[in-house]
Amino acid sequence: MTRLLILIPALLMLSGCANNWGWYVVDPTTTSGWNNLKFMANGAYYTITMSVTAIIISVVVGLLVTLPGLSKKRGWRMFNRTYVEIVRSVPVLVLILWVYYGLPALSGITLNVFWAGVFALALSDSAFQAEVFRAGIQSISRGQYEAAQSISLNYRDTMRYVILPQAIRRILPALGNQLVYMMKMSSLVSVIGLQELTRAANELVVTEYRPLEIYTILVLEYLVLILIVSAGVRWLERRLKTSDA
Amino acid sequence: MPIISMRNVSKFFGEFQALKNVSLDVALGERVVVCGPSGSGKSTLIRCINRLELHEVGEIVIDGTTLTNKPSDLEKISSTVGMVFQQFNLFPHLTVMDNLCLGPRRVLGLSEEQAQERAMKYLNRIQIPEQAEKFPRQLSGGQQQRAAIARSLCMEPRVLLFDEPTSALDPEMIAEVLDVMTELASSSITMIVVTHEMGFARRVADRMVFMDKGEIVEIGVPEDVFTAPKSKRFGTFLNQILNH
Ligand SMILES: Nc1ncnc2c1ncn2[C@@H]1O[C@H](COP(=O)(O)OP(=O)(O)OP(=O)(O)O)[C@@H](O)[C@H]1O
Ligand SMILES: [Mg+2]
């Protein structure tokens, strides 16, 4: 994978010689190129903080939405289904626009671009988290609940100490995927003006007029971020596995 | 006064009646072995006692508390009745020690130190103190079942229910679990054991209960039952499992 990372720009550079590319815009050896690169990389701050904040919120909300879905009572299950179906069917981009432009008109609450982005991403993702959690929790055998009941654990403790720790280990790969997905979706928040990776690239394109080079760098930026996240998730998976292997 | 008293208990799964008018009294400290063909309702019987199943008809009184089908019943009987499962059902993500301490810590409110002390006491009793820090899947089947027994004992129940505790085990491990159960039987704990281990029943049981098709067909002391069962069905059943 690392080799690929070096290979792609190398190939592009080479082809650039023949095709009159303008790699100078992001040439780190020149002052302006270096500044441009820094400008683009700075976008990573919002991409990362926004995705991470959003995933934390969406995991919590997703879990809160999952639990009623597992209830014996029909009303609770209906709440879960309704939430999941409605939220899941709205495109993320539409949700971002709605939260940023629509919500203030409706409720008088104005969120800044960062929190509007976080809110929309978290909301959208929570429906998926709820489904992931549900599958994870339902994969835990009935014997575990019965054992918990036989030592008199109440519902909360059963979930907290017995079911969820096991379910989370099982859904970790899916959670990792969701985080990757979230990082990519966060690029959509550029439409309301948050200076994350994509927005930074767009702004640079407007002033430098070098879309091919700049967007290529943008692709690489996402690639690096996501490879790091994937490696992190794999590391966590291994750690949790060895702790009860 | 019996610690468990079942009066005309019936249990339905939809249309299907799994328990038919079952009545059974178990005295404090008594050891009862329940046997019967597959599907006869043995599991259902003991699962009704610890509320893993709720009965529809009749009355179950445990230690003076009449069970209704309200969740609050669970709390009332929970510290009285413990259960050992065929599939052990240890918590796979916790060490043996943590499996044992969870209930005492969260339910009985013991401090970590007290809980661990208690856990070690019972791990010594079932003779696997050296496995305390291992995870369940690092243990043999027999050790897992003994750990599961210790987990129940840590709640210090007055009644311990066993649902075919050795039938998921390889033959060479059955003895070690039965030994632990025999040792337990010499204490004051009340035991109801669903098992087809007739050697164990003969050694340990005060009374044998034979079930068939959701009914208790016969109750008797082992000497009588093994020499001359009253009902033909019990006789046939005993013949089958003793000669196989
Ligand atoms: N949750 C359930 N839903 C529907 N039917 C059930 C359920 N649990 C048990 N039964 C049925 O009730 C009957 C008695 O089951 P039970 O498990 O008590 O039998 P058992 O005597 O323990 O048999 P085994 O020796 O196979 O464990 C069986 O016919 C079974 O199919
Ligand atoms: Mg059974």
Side-chain angles (χ1 to χ4, degrees):
Chain A
M1 219 50 197
T2 11
R3 214 174 301 157
L4 199 67
L5 277 182
I6 302 165
L7 202 64
I8 294 173
L11 280 176
L12 287 170
M13 297 273 187
L14 283 177
S15 66
C17 301
N19 289 300
N20 214 1
W21 284 36
W23 283 111
Y24 66 89
V25 285
V26 288
D27 182 350
T29 56
T30 67
T31 319
S32 68
W34 178 243
N35 283 340
N36 284 346
L37 273 180
K38 272 205 304 200
F39 179 76
M40 288 189 73
N42 279 340
Y45 173 77
Y46 279 129
T47 294
I48 294 169
T49 50
M50 187 164 57
S51 323
V52 171
T53 317
I55 198 101
I56 292 169
I57 296 174
S58 83
V59 163
V60 174
V61 174
L63 186 56
L64 290 178
V65 173
T66 305
L67 294 178
L70 301 167
S71 165
K72 286 199 186 81
K73 298 212 178 71
R74 202 153 153 253
W76 285 117
R77 286 205 312 273
M78 284 283 287
F79 162 78
N80 168 280
R81 290 322 305 164
T82 314
Y83 182 94
V84 170
E85 293 304 336
I86 290 179
V87 172
R88 204 164 53 170
S89 60
V90 184
V92 184
L93 182 57
V94 174
L95 209 52
I96 292 168
L97 293 171
W98 189 85
V99 167
Y100 190 62
Y101 297 110
L103 196 63
L106 185 73
S107 65
I109 304 167
T110 311
L111 296 172
N112 65 26
V113 278
F114 178 81
W115 285 107
V118 165
F119 183 69
L121 289 176
L123 188 64
S124 160
D125 196 55
S126 65
F128 291 92
Q129 297 294 1
E131 291 297 273
V132 168
F133 267 115
R134 191 165 65 104
I137 291 173
Q138 282 175 341
S139 76
I140 307 295
S141 80
R142 221 174 59 155
Q144 293 290 306
Y145 290 91
E146 296 185 347
Q149 186 180 328
S150 78
I151 56 166
S152 314
L153 290 185
N154 60 24
Y155 175 76
R156 237 191 71 211
D157 285 351
T158 300
M159 280 297 164
R160 180 163 158 207
Y161 294 103
V162 177
I163 306 301
L164 289 180
Q166 295 184 60
I168 284 175
R169 280 172 173 76
R170 291 195 193 178
I171 64 181
L172 211 59
L175 284 183
N177 279 342
Q178 278 311 115
L179 180 56
V180 166
Y181 186 70
M182 185 77 98
M183 291 216 145
K184 297 196 283 183
M185 285 300 118
S186 71
S187 63
L188 293 173
V189 182
S190 62
V191 298
I192 55 174
L194 186 73
Q195 199 81 10
E196 42 65 73
L197 286 174
T198 303
R199 176 79 178 199
N202 277 337
E203 290 185 359
L204 204 59
V205 167
V206 172
T207 52
E208 295 285 352
Y209 229 72
R210 276 286 168 191
L212 184 53
E213 294 78 4
I214 290 169
Y215 287 138
T216 303
I217 296 292
L218 181 61
V219 167
L220 292 176
E221 286 180 313
Y222 279 111
L223 195 58
V224 169
L225 265 188
I226 282 161
L227 287 177
I228 292 173
V229 169
S230 308
V233 171
R234 272 201 305 278
W235 173 82
L236 197 63
E237 261 173 65
R238 269 201 311 276
R239 241 192 68 135
L240 286 176
K241 219 176 242 141
T242 47
S243 77
D244 62 338
Chain B
M1 196 182 70
I3 184 142
I4 296 172
S5 169
M6 304 178 82
R7 287 272 152 274
N8 303 320
V9 171
S10 290
K11 162 77 195 164
F12 294 83
F13 292 109
E15 294 285 289
F16 179 78
Q17 188 167 4
L19 290 182
K20 295 174 188 160
N21 239 353
V22 168
S23 294
L24 177 69
D25 282 345
V26 179
L28 192 63
E30 196 177 14
R31 287 150 305 238
V32 176
V33 165
V34 181
C35 61
S38 180
S40 56
K42 308 177 297 290
S43 299
T44 309
L45 178 84
I46 61 171
R47 288 164 62 88
C48 278
I49 293 173
N50 80 340
R51 303 281 81 190
L52 288 175
E53 302 288 357
L54 303 177
H55 64 289
E56 281 90 18
V57 185
E59 189 181 63
I60 303 180
V61 183
I62 293 179
D63 201 15
T65 306
T66 304
L67 301 181
T68 57
N69 289 342
K70 279 188 247 118
S72 58
D73 280 355
L74 206 60
E75 287 160 36
K76 285 189 222 143
I77 61 139
S78 59
S79 50
T80 316
V81 184
M83 173 108 164
V84 175
F85 301 88
Q86 183 176 352
Q87 302 295 342
F88 330 137
N89 294 342
L90 288 167
F91 306 129
H93 61 297
L94 298 179
T95 61
V96 169
M97 178 55 92
D98 289 342
N99 265 276
L100 268 59
C101 287
L102 185 56
R105 295 268 290 139
R106 300 300 309 171
V107 180
L108 307 178
L110 264 55
S111 73
E112 193 174 339
E113 219 170 50
Q114 291 169 316
Q116 287 185 355
E117 197 177 307
R118 184 182 280 199
M120 276 322 284
K121 176 172 121 193
Y122 288 111
L123 282 177
N124 276 314
R125 184 145 172 210
I126 57 151
Q127 294 162 18
I128 50 169
E130 73 284 358
Q131 312 289 357
E133 294 311 322
K134 290 203 184 151
F135 286 93
R137 77 186 72 154
Q138 298 170 302
L139 270 53
S140 73
Q143 290 172 331
Q144 288 188 48
Q145 189 59 297
R146 281 147 68 194
I149 292 173
R151 179 177 65 184
S152 300
L153 290 174
C154 279
M155 299 300 288
E156 309 205 318
R158 303 174 69 190
V159 180
L160 197 46
L161 310 171
F162 294 81
D163 193 358
E164 307 205 31
T166 57
S167 52
L169 294 176
D170 294 335
E172 70 271 19
M173 294 170 184
I174 292 178
E176 64 183 63
V177 172
L178 291 180
D179 285 347
V180 164
M181 290 168 61
T182 308
E183 192 272 326
L184 260 185
S186 64
S187 70
S188 63
I189 196 166
T190 310
M191 291 166 71
I192 303 182
V193 185
V194 175
T195 185
H196 290 160
E197 295 294 332
M198 287 303 135
F200 171 81
R202 206 190 283 263
R203 267 201 317 278
V204 165
D206 296 314
R207 278 190 302 160
M208 305 253 320
V209 172
F210 173 67
M211 294 188 70
D212 193 16
K213 301 199 175 80
E215 290 171 311
I216 293 185
V217 178
E218 187 170 337
I219 302 181
V221 294
E223 301 96 87
D224 298 349
V225 163
F226 282 113
T227 45
K230 287 196 209 75
S231 61
K232 195 155 161 270
R233 275 192 278 177
F234 197 5
T236 320
F237 175 79
L238 281 176
N239 259 330
Q240 269 170 7
I241 55 169
L242 290 175
N243 297 331
H244 118 120

